[in-house]
Amino acid sequence: MTAHEHLVVRRGRRSGITTMVAIHSTALGPAVGGCRFKPYATLEEAVGDVLRLSAAMTAKCAVAGLAFGGGKSVIAPEPGRVLSPEERRAVLLDHADLIAEFGGAYRAGPDVGTGPADMLVLREASPYAFCTPESAGGTGSSSGPTAVGVLAALRAAGPADLTGRRVVISGYGSVGAHLAASLHAAGADVVVSDIDPAKRAEAERSGLTWTEPEKALTLTADVVIPAAVGGVLSPETVARLDTPLVVGPANNQLTDDAVADDLAARGVLWIPDYVASAGGILYTLSREAEGLDHEAALARVETIEQTVTDLLNAAKASATTPLHEAAALAGRRLTSGAAPRTPSLREPRTTA
């Protein structure tokens, strides 16, 4: 993977809060990636996160066949600081100013800590934000399409019939809840966990089994789905896994790419996170950049099943891992400088 094209870190003029944008690659088109609103222990930790996440977005877009590159942005308030609505608005406007300076080379969407309403605030100072509320002409939350994409990846890699199969979902946020509902409806025995204990009652009302977060990844299961934070698959964690398949939407699941080899050595099939989690970006860009309708955009998301099938076949033929094949595919598309399909790069719709 190439070096980053841009990294700008700035303290907001209104809020005094650190905000940053990283553009990894625009080889295939404008960089896209979520805006993460999260406190970090150090500035170095925040910068490391935005760099890793933006590089992953390059790979995600390339493998998905999108004519967009990879970027990411972070708003990093001090740990322990609780922002008032006015302060949150101020830092979002600071961040929008920074995004606007790139002139469309980076376009933001929601991520951890942000949602459609925040994207609407960004639009006040920059047109380069996706997923504003549907009431404002946007596509709203991408959680549902992201979950659809994970299910498509699971169909390619997992058992054909989920009835009675034990599926563990680590992270019961918006995407995790979508996945849990779909898998429960398909007859799976769904176990969920989350760092927020208040979600336990909701999960149990939905017929799901609850487990504590520290146990989730090591339970005996047919499928484990990381659906929360990244960095959860380390050599130590992999040694304790008791599942044949790991596939989920969490970004940057591996602490290091070498962990993919550890997984393979233990007979665990891991679908690269940037492949399985591409449903949200596929749906959003199909709608907001290409102008496709809802059904056509969802059909685009379903192509993740074929992508995963192709990667698994290539890995089997070459005696490699799906991560190796996904990285090779991304590299070929980035080197060629063109994606298989090139959307009309219309400006994001603005609101009155």
Side-chain angles (χ1 to χ4, degrees):
M1 198 71 76
T2 59
H4 283 74
E5 295 178 9
H6 299 283
L7 170 65
V8 178
V9 181
R10 181 175 299 166
R11 192 173 294 278
R13 64 180 177 85
R14 300 175 185 84
S15 64
I17 295 173
T18 300
T19 177
M20 62 189 73
V21 170
I23 295 178
H24 179 257
S25 173
T26 55
L28 295 177
V32 292
C35 168
R36 181 162 293 200
F37 202 123
K38 175 185 173 183
Y40 292 84
T42 65
L43 178 61
E44 291 74 17
E45 183 182 337
V47 170
D49 208 20
V50 79
L51 292 175
R52 285 189 297 271
L53 291 165
S54 56
M57 284 302 303
T58 295
K60 179 180 292 190
C61 289
V63 171
L66 291 165
F68 288 87
K72 207 76 174 182
S73 60
V74 161
I75 297 171
E78 298 88 342
R81 179 174 175 180
V82 178
L83 301 185
S84 67
E86 293 76 20
E87 290 172 321
R88 184 180 180 89
R89 175 178 168 78
V91 71
L92 285 167
L93 291 173
D94 286 336
H95 195 55
D97 287 343
L98 178 55
I99 291 170
E101 291 180 16
F102 288 95
Y106 167 68
R107 305 176 182 201
D111 197 80
V112 174
T114 60
D118 298 311
M119 298 304 101
L120 197 58
V121 177
L122 293 182
R123 283 281 189 91
E124 294 182 28
S126 166
Y128 306 112
F130 292 115
C131 294
T132 58
E134 293 181 53
S135 60
T139 52
S141 172
S142 61
S143 297
T146 299
V148 170
V150 174
L151 294 172
L154 179 56
R155 285 198 301 275
D161 185 2
L162 290 170
T163 304
R165 302 280 188 168
R166 194 181 202 196
V167 180
V168 177
I169 303 175
S170 176
Y172 194 59
S174 54
V175 179
H178 277 290
L179 288 168
S182 295
L183 292 167
H184 180 66
D189 171 18
V190 181
V191 181
V192 300
S193 71
D194 197 273
I195 58 171
D196 181 1
K199 293 182 178 180
R200 178 171 185 168
E202 175 190 345
E204 292 180 341
R205 281 196 303 271
S206 299
L208 311 176
T209 302
W210 181 267
T211 191
E212 297 306 314
E214 61 272 15
K215 298 178 181 178
L217 294 178
T218 57
L219 292 176
T220 301
D222 295 289
V223 185
V224 167
I225 299 179
V229 297
V232 294
L233 295 177
S234 65
E236 295 75 23
T237 304
V238 169
R240 298 167 57 210
L241 284 174
D242 189 10
T243 183
L245 175 62
V246 178
V247 53
N251 291 315
N252 290 354
Q253 293 169 22
L254 307 184
T255 55
D256 184 271
D257 282 356
V259 175
D261 296 321
D262 297 336
L263 286 159
R266 290 212 60 224
V268 179
L269 177 60
W270 179 71
I271 305 304
D273 40 32
Y274 59 79
V275 179
S277 66
I281 197 72
L282 270 167
Y283 179 84
T284 297
L285 295 178
S286 294
R287 293 289 309 278
E288 298 197 28
E290 296 190 62
L292 298 186
D293 64 20
H294 171 71
E295 294 302 325
L298 277 184
R300 180 76 56 80
V301 174
E302 297 286 1
T303 64
I304 290 175
E305 180 176 359
Q306 187 61 53
T307 298
V308 173
T309 297
D310 292 344
L311 292 174
L312 293 178
N313 289 339
K316 183 177 180 179
S318 303
T320 57
T321 65
L323 178 61
H324 175 88
E325 297 303 326
L329 175 58
R332 291 193 297 271
R333 289 180 175 170
L334 288 164
T335 300
S336 71
R341 54 176 177 266
T342 303
S344 172
L345 299 183
R346 302 182 301 168
E347 294 302 309
R349 293 188 296 273
T350 56
T351 56

